[in-house]
Amino acid sequence: MSLLSDFLSKIKHAEPKKDVPPALRSAVASLRRKESRKRRIIILSIISILAIMSGFLTAYIIQNLFIQGIIKDKPQRIASLEDKQLMEKQGENTTTTTPETKPVIIVEKPRSEEKTKYKTPPVVKRKSVKRSIIVPNIVPREKIKLEDIAQKQNDSELEVSGLKELYLYMGEDYEKKKDYYNAILSYKKVLDIEPENYRVMNKIAHIFIEIGLYEEATKYLKNTIDIKEDYVPALINYGIVYAKAENFFEAERYFLKALSIEAENQEALFNIALLYEKQGMHDLAQKYYSKLQKMGNAEGDRGLERIMTIK
C-alpha cells in the first residue's frame, strides 16, 4: 500500500484551464483606470486647496505685521512733530540778548490776528500813470438793435402789404370773372391781414347782393358803417338791400343820405330814380334821370324814355 500511495503521489494530474472572457477583461481594466484617475484628481485638488490656503495665510500674516509696524511707528512720529512745534514756540517766546541791544520779549499774538495777517495781502502803492484813452467811433449796441428791429418790422410790413395787394387783386379778378366763391375767399384773406378794411367789407357785401344772400350782405354792411358811417358805396348797397326786401322807406333814406354826402354820385342817382320809378313816382324819377342825362350817363336817357312812354 505504501508503494502504491507513493506512486500515486508522484503522478501529476492535469488541472483544467479557466478561460476569462475579453469583455470582462476590458471592463475590469476600465474600472481600474477610472479609479486611478479619481485618485489623481482628489490628490491634485487637495494640493491646490492647501496651496490657496497657505497663500491666504501668508498674506494675512504679512498684513498684520505691516499694520502693527505702522501703529508702533505712528505715535513716535506724532511725538516728534509735537516736540518740534513745542521747540519752535519756545524759541519764539525766549528772550534774545545781544551785546548791543536790550532783551526784547516777543508776545504771542492771538490766533485771530494771525489768521487776518495771512488773509489780507500787503498793499503795494503804485505810481499813477496817465494814459490817453482812444474812443473808437462805434455806434452803441442799443441803437444798432433798435435799428435792426425797425428794419425787420419794415420788411415784415412790406411782406404783409404785398400779400394784401395780391389777395385784393385776386379778389377783383375773380369778381370780374363772376367767380364769386374764390373772390369772397380772397377778400376774406385781406380781412385776415386788415380786419377793419371797410372797403373790402363792402366788396364782400356787394357780391352777396349779386348772388341774393341779403342777410350775409347786411352783416358786412353793418360792420362797414360801424367803422366808417359816411362811406357812400356802403350806404348805396344798404339802400339796395332794403329795396330788394321792398322796404322802400329805408332804401330811400340810405340813398338820400349818400346823395347828401356826394350829390353827383351817379350810382346813388340811378338807384333812387329807379326806386321812385318802381313806386310809380314818375315826377321824382324823372328829376333824377334828368340829372344823370346831363352827366352823360346812358341810364338817364333810358329812364326818361320809359317814363315818357308811360305818360
Side-chain angles (χ1 to χ4, degrees), residues 19-31 33:
D19 294 330
V20 180
L24 183 60
R25 287 180 184 177
S26 62
V28 171
S30 64
L31 286 171
R33 284 196 296 271

Side-chain angles (χ1 to χ4, degrees), residues 259 262-271 292 295-297:
L259 289 170
E262 293 181 10
E264 294 182 355
N265 188 296
Q266 295 184 23
E267 289 184 6
L269 289 170
F270 171 71
N271 279 291
L292 285 172
M295 292 177 185
N297 193 321

Side-chain angles (χ1 to χ4, degrees), residues 41-266:
I41 291 165
I42 291 164
I43 291 164
L44 289 172
S45 61
I46 290 165
I47 291 165
S48 61
I49 289 164
L50 289 172
I52 292 164
M53 289 176 69
S54 63
F56 279 118
L57 185 61
T58 306
Y60 177 74
I61 291 164
I62 292 166
Q63 188 177 5
N64 286 336
L65 291 172
F66 181 72
I67 292 166
Q68 286 176 4
I70 291 169
I71 291 165
K72 288 178 181 178
D73 193 25
K74 190 173 181 182
Q76 293 177 0
R77 289 181 183 177
I78 294 165
S80 62
L81 289 170
E82 288 178 354
D83 291 338
K84 285 181 182 179
Q85 290 176 0
L86 288 170
M87 290 294 288
E88 288 175 0
K89 286 182 180 180
Q90 286 176 4
E92 289 176 359
N93 294 329
T94 54
T95 57
T96 58
T97 57
T98 57
E100 294 179 358
T101 59
K102 293 180 180 180
V104 179
I105 298 169
I106 299 169
V107 181
E108 189 178 2
K109 293 182 180 180
R111 291 184 181 177
S112 61
E113 291 183 2
E114 288 180 1
K115 289 180 181 178
T116 54
K117 180 180 176 181
Y118 293 105
K119 281 184 180 178
T120 55
V123 179
V124 180
K125 292 184 180 180
R126 295 180 181 178
K127 293 180 180 180
S128 60
V129 180
K130 292 183 179 180
R131 295 180 183 178
S132 59
I133 299 168
I134 300 168
V135 181
N137 188 13
I138 299 171
V139 182
R141 288 184 181 178
E142 294 180 359
K143 192 173 181 181
I144 290 170
K145 287 180 181 178
L146 290 171
E147 287 178 358
D148 292 341
I149 291 165
Q151 186 65 36
K152 287 179 181 178
Q153 286 179 350
N154 291 332
D155 293 340
S156 63
E157 285 175 2
L158 287 170
E159 290 177 2
V160 169
S161 63
L163 284 172
K164 182 193 76 174
E165 293 298 328
L166 176 64
Y167 290 135
L168 189 62
Y169 172 78
M170 288 170 64
E172 290 173 353
D173 186 57
Y174 284 129
E175 190 175 358
K176 286 176 185 177
K177 294 174 182 178
K178 296 189 182 298
D179 187 357
Y180 296 131
Y181 177 77
N182 285 317
I184 289 169
L185 287 178
S186 300
Y187 287 142
K188 282 184 177 181
K189 286 179 181 178
V190 177
L191 290 178
D192 290 338
I193 298 168
E194 285 186 0
E196 294 187 355
N197 193 324
Y198 56 89
R199 290 186 175 88
V200 175
M201 290 178 187
N202 183 64
K203 285 179 180 293
I204 294 171
H206 176 71
I207 292 171
F208 280 129
I209 290 167
E210 289 291 325
I211 60 180
L213 298 174
Y214 302 121
E215 290 183 2
E216 296 295 327
T218 304
K219 291 177 184 177
Y220 282 93
L221 289 170
K222 186 178 181 302
N223 292 332
T224 306
I225 298 299
D226 289 340
I227 295 167
K228 191 171 177 64
E229 60 182 359
D230 58 347
Y231 186 55
V232 172
L235 294 171
I236 294 167
N237 283 327
Y238 235 138
I240 291 168
V241 169
Y242 280 116
K244 295 283 185 181
E246 295 185 354
N247 190 345
F248 301 129
F249 177 77
E250 289 294 327
E252 182 186 11
R253 187 171 71 85
Y254 276 101
F255 291 144
L256 290 174
K257 187 175 181 179
L259 289 170
S260 66
I261 297 166
E262 293 181 10
E264 294 182 355
N265 188 296
Q266 295 184 23

